[in-house]
Amino acid sequence: MQISLLLMEEIAKLFAIMLMGYAVVKAGLMKSSESKSISVVMVYLVIPCVIIDAFQVDYTSDVKKGLLLACAAVLVHVLFLILTAILKQVLQLDTIERATVIYSNAGILVIPLVQDLLGQEYVIYSSAYIAVQLVLIWTHCKNMICEEDRLEWKKVFLNVNIISIIVGVILFICRIQLPSGVQDVMDMMNNMIGPIGMLLAGMVIADVPLKTVFTKKRNYVSTVLRLIVYPIFILILMKMINTFAGLNDSKQILLTVYIASITPACATVTSMAQLYDKDAAYASSLYVLTTLLSIVTMPVMVGMYEMFV
């Protein structure tokens, strides 16, 4: 239970920062819409630096095997897609609800949590989940929300985070180490990802009526799926994979994938809903509710992982 308790402590710290973002907007010092400027810094500067820095490790046999194991992220998303296809008719899930349960906020939350819980050397394995999800977000998720059939592969491969992963992999395989000064800058950017991500969340939440978020019963359908039901299925999957993994630190590597899969709803879903004139208010409500409740559900789920896997 040690990792679960550490996770609870780290999430509590991040949520304290989220409350600061909430307070800044409520005090009238900033507008919720101004969070868009901070998002640009996050997406185009901070996350790319963190991803590239994650690949600045020695190219060893163990790391290579660990990355292959982290590709369990593909199986996680396949399972999510299958479960959602089954539950779509049973629970009458609409487009926003389906996107909410499939796609997590891994890009913002998983890296700082993995850094604090397992150490910087495990951040590289988080990139596998982020890469898989990014491709699906700009193909499957976008087409689902827009109700389109055409795939825009250009947008997928020109996504700054995908480019960062490709650059990181090339540096990793070619055993190219960045100069110490550049790495120092990368490390400084690493320390920014958690605080900036939660400040953004707090600013977004400040613009949403919390009473409506908590009192609308339908909100809890996709919230329970995202935070409890789907993580339980992934827990079983992680147990099966770990049984046959054959690596000394397979449990820690799979934990990076598991943490990414149990984070709250993806903020990008709300952004897409706004961009393509879908129900952005509902998407925002689900983002807020899952984010607030994850402070309880994530430590519980990681505690189950420790005991079961």
Side-chain angles (χ1 to χ4, degrees):
M1 294 297 289
Q2 184 179 2
I3 292 180
S4 181
L5 292 173
L6 283 172
L7 179 63
M8 186 179 294
E9 182 180 338
E10 292 306 319
I11 290 178
K13 292 176 185 175
L14 291 173
F15 270 76
I17 297 172
M18 185 183 75
L19 289 175
M20 293 178 190
Y22 180 88
V24 164
V25 174
K26 285 298 182 183
L29 299 174
M30 292 185 73
K31 295 178 182 178
S32 183
S33 58
E34 291 175 332
S35 63
K36 210 165 191 177
S37 300
I38 304 175
S39 295
V40 172
V41 175
M42 182 76 165
V43 172
Y44 290 95
L45 292 178
V46 178
I47 294 179
C49 286
V50 171
I51 290 173
I52 292 172
D53 190 46
F55 284 93
Q56 288 292 288
V57 295
D58 293 334
Y59 183 84
T60 64
S61 175
D62 288 340
V63 172
K64 186 168 66 174
K65 290 176 182 176
L67 277 172
L68 290 174
L69 182 60
C71 287
V74 174
L75 297 178
V76 170
H77 284 90
V78 169
L79 183 55
F80 281 171
L81 291 169
I82 293 171
L83 287 172
T84 305
I86 294 170
L87 295 173
K88 175 184 174 181
Q89 298 299 329
V90 178
L91 299 175
Q92 297 298 304
L93 299 176
D94 64 22
T95 301
I96 297 298
E97 290 168 339
R98 297 201 307 273
T100 295
V101 298
I102 295 171
Y103 298 106
S104 69
N105 214 18
I108 291 176
L109 277 176
V110 67
I111 292 175
L113 290 176
V114 168
Q115 283 174 335
D116 290 328
L117 296 176
L118 300 172
Q120 179 64 26
E121 65 272 21
Y122 283 93
V123 173
I124 187 173
Y125 306 120
S126 306
S127 300
Y129 194 98
I130 293 170
V132 173
Q133 178 159 284
L134 280 171
V135 171
L136 286 172
I137 281 176
W138 291 104
T139 53
H140 172 264
C141 183
K142 178 182 176 295
N143 285 21
M144 182 170 62
I145 291 176
C146 300
E147 298 177 350
E148 295 177 346
D149 295 323
R150 186 169 54 91
L151 294 178
E152 295 186 35
W153 289 105
K154 185 178 179 181
K155 286 190 176 180
V156 175
F157 291 107
L158 290 182
N159 181 285
V160 66
N161 292 323
I162 292 292
I163 293 172
S164 302
I165 290 170
I166 293 171
V167 170
V169 169
I170 291 172
L171 293 174
F172 173 67
I173 293 175
C174 296
R175 294 177 169 84
I176 299 172
Q177 289 291 314
L178 296 172
S180 59
V182 175
Q183 288 197 16
D184 289 343
V185 172
M186 296 284 192
D187 291 338
M188 292 170 71
M189 298 298 275
N190 271 340
N191 296 330
M192 293 170 62
I193 188 169
I196 289 183
M198 296 315 288
L199 277 173
L200 282 170
M203 292 177 72
V204 171
I205 287 172
D207 213 25
V208 179
L210 292 183
K211 184 179 179 181
T212 306
V213 171
F214 284 103
T215 55
K216 187 178 178 181
K217 293 181 180 178
R218 183 66 188 181
N219 288 354
Y220 290 93
V221 175
S222 46
T223 297
V224 170
L225 291 176
R226 166 102 295 279
L227 298 180
I228 299 174
V229 178
Y230 281 29
I232 289 174
F233 277 95
I234 300 306
L235 187 66
I236 298 169
L237 177 64
M238 293 297 103
K239 173 66 176 177
M240 293 170 60
I241 295 173
N242 190 49
T243 302
F244 302 101
L247 292 177
N248 292 332
D249 59 347
S250 61
K251 186 172 180 177
Q252 287 87 346
I253 293 170
L254 290 173
L255 180 57
T256 66
V257 177
Y258 187 66
I259 290 174
S261 71
I262 65 174
T263 55
C266 183
T268 306
V269 172
T270 300
S271 301
M272 281 188 174
Q274 290 173 330
L275 185 62
Y276 299 111
D277 297 320
K278 299 301 178 180
D279 196 348
Y282 188 32
S284 183
S285 293
L286 295 179
Y287 171 71
V288 170
L289 186 60
T290 55
T291 300
L292 291 174
L293 294 182
S294 66
I295 191 172
V296 177
T297 60
M298 286 184 68
V300 171
M301 289 300 160
V302 170
M304 291 175 64
Y305 180 93
E306 287 187 272
M307 290 187 292
F308 187 68
V309 177

